[in-house]
Amino acid sequence: TVMVGVADNQRLNRRGWPGLVGFVDAGVWNEPDFAERLSQACQTLQGCDERSAVSERSQEAVDGLGAVRLIDCLELAVTGALTAAGLTLTPFARLSEEDRRRVWRMRIHPEVSRWMATGGDISWDTHVRFMDGQAADTRNRNFLARDVAGVAGVASIHRIDRKARTGELGLYRNPERDERGLGGRLLDAICGVAFDREGLRLFTLEVRRDNAAAIALYTRFGFRDTLLSRDEAMIEMSLSDHDWRGRTQ
């Protein structure tokens, strides 16, 4: 894309887009050297490789979800949380000290830690350092979920790849609550965030092969075994945005 200025209010765009995605600024249409700069700009993008590189960077920067993200920002600014599937999702970066401790106690609980690859040997200091880094973490979205009955659990999108539009699921319910359907509501909420707000095309997960309840839940939601896991004790599953939207329509 070659940028041509026709109004003063375009200056910020002309200054920002070239560095962000590789657009070439040819200047303002009525400048004395405009014709020469326009010719140079067209020559810069003459090669197919150059145009392909700009196209890839543009798709990564502009994915069509700007309006959704604006709504999320406004919702977070007003309430400090998102809402999805009847749950309130508070980002880890916005948790109070008390909620940080709630997350830690759930994470090290035997009914949660026994399904985790890293187990439950997590000190409070380690947990604090992890929480302190949440505000600067752009590849992971971790939420403490609540409903009218209290803390429902934790739901996360890990290792977000915005170019490939993929991410990995993280999920555990509050071990002190045993009502049926709670895990499904957590999964429904985080899938909604992943596909409808983050724009993922593929959501993957790994689950212990002996965790029959979790596997049954994921299967009901449309996740399928990829048969790609290299660990015999684990199953890798995935859900596409197409299958998710087909399920919710």
Side-chain angles (χ1 to χ4, degrees):
T1 297
V2 174
M3 303 181 69
V4 176
V6 297
D8 289 342
N9 62 4
Q10 297 173 332
R11 281 181 294 180
L12 289 178
N13 285 328
R14 290 174 44 226
R15 186 184 307 163
W17 283 108
L20 180 63
V21 299
F23 291 171
V24 180
D25 181 20
V28 180
W29 70 275
N30 60 355
E31 290 177 338
D33 61 345
F34 172 69
E36 181 181 353
R37 291 185 62 178
L38 179 61
S39 176
Q40 291 175 349
C42 291
Q43 290 178 20
T44 299
L45 293 177
Q46 187 173 11
C48 182
D49 290 343
E50 287 76 12
R51 294 198 303 276
S52 295
V54 171
S55 177
E56 289 181 4
R57 290 172 63 184
S58 300
Q59 292 178 50
E60 184 175 354
V62 182
D63 57 9
L65 293 172
V68 175
R69 292 198 179 94
L70 177 59
I71 293 172
D72 283 355
C73 288
L74 291 173
E75 188 174 7
L76 285 170
V78 174
T79 68
L82 303 178
T83 55
L87 296 176
T88 299
L89 305 176
T90 305
F92 277 10
R94 293 174 175 262
L95 294 183
S96 65
E97 183 74 8
E98 183 178 0
D99 279 341
R100 285 184 168 201
R101 288 193 176 275
R102 286 193 175 99
V103 172
W104 179 61
R105 286 194 294 267
M106 284 192 294
R107 179 59 183 81
I108 64 175
H109 192 285
E111 288 302 312
V112 172
S113 63
R114 72 190 182 105
W115 302 114
M116 300 292 187
T118 54
D121 187 17
I122 301 173
S123 70
W124 170 245
D125 289 341
T126 298
H127 180 69
V128 168
R129 287 194 296 271
F130 167 75
M131 285 292 186
D132 286 346
Q134 289 297 291
D137 188 349
T138 60
R139 293 200 62 207
N140 301 280
R141 298 199 72 183
N142 299 295
F143 300 96
L144 177 64
R146 279 188 170 88
D147 60 11
V148 294
V151 173
V154 167
S156 306
I157 310 171
H158 296 305
R159 299 178 184 86
I160 298 172
D161 185 330
R162 301 197 184 281
K163 183 175 182 179
R165 295 173 71 174
T166 61
E168 299 177 15
L169 170 69
L171 189 78
Y172 55 89
R173 54 181 289 163
N174 184 347
E176 297 181 356
R177 293 179 59 175
D178 59 2
E179 66 264 37
R180 292 177 60 85
L182 185 59
R185 292 169 58 209
L186 285 166
L187 184 55
D188 194 16
I190 198 62
C191 283
V193 174
F195 291 116
D196 299 334
R197 303 190 192 220
E198 289 294 326
L200 297 193
R201 291 174 177 161
L202 192 69
F203 207 11
T204 62
L205 63 89
E206 276 199 331
V207 58
R208 286 258 305 261
R209 196 173 292 273
D210 57 349
N211 193 346
I215 293 171
L217 171 63
Y218 299 141
T219 301
R220 287 199 304 273
F221 269 74
F223 283 85
R224 296 291 179 262
D225 189 345
T226 66
L227 304 177
L228 297 175
S229 179
R230 298 180 180 180
D231 188 338
E232 292 184 356
M234 306 295 289
I235 295 177
E236 180 185 290
M237 307 180 78
S238 67
L239 176 66
S240 70
D241 59 341
H242 178 269
D243 288 341
W244 166 255
R245 298 190 197 290
R247 178 185 178 277
T248 56
Q249 288 177 353

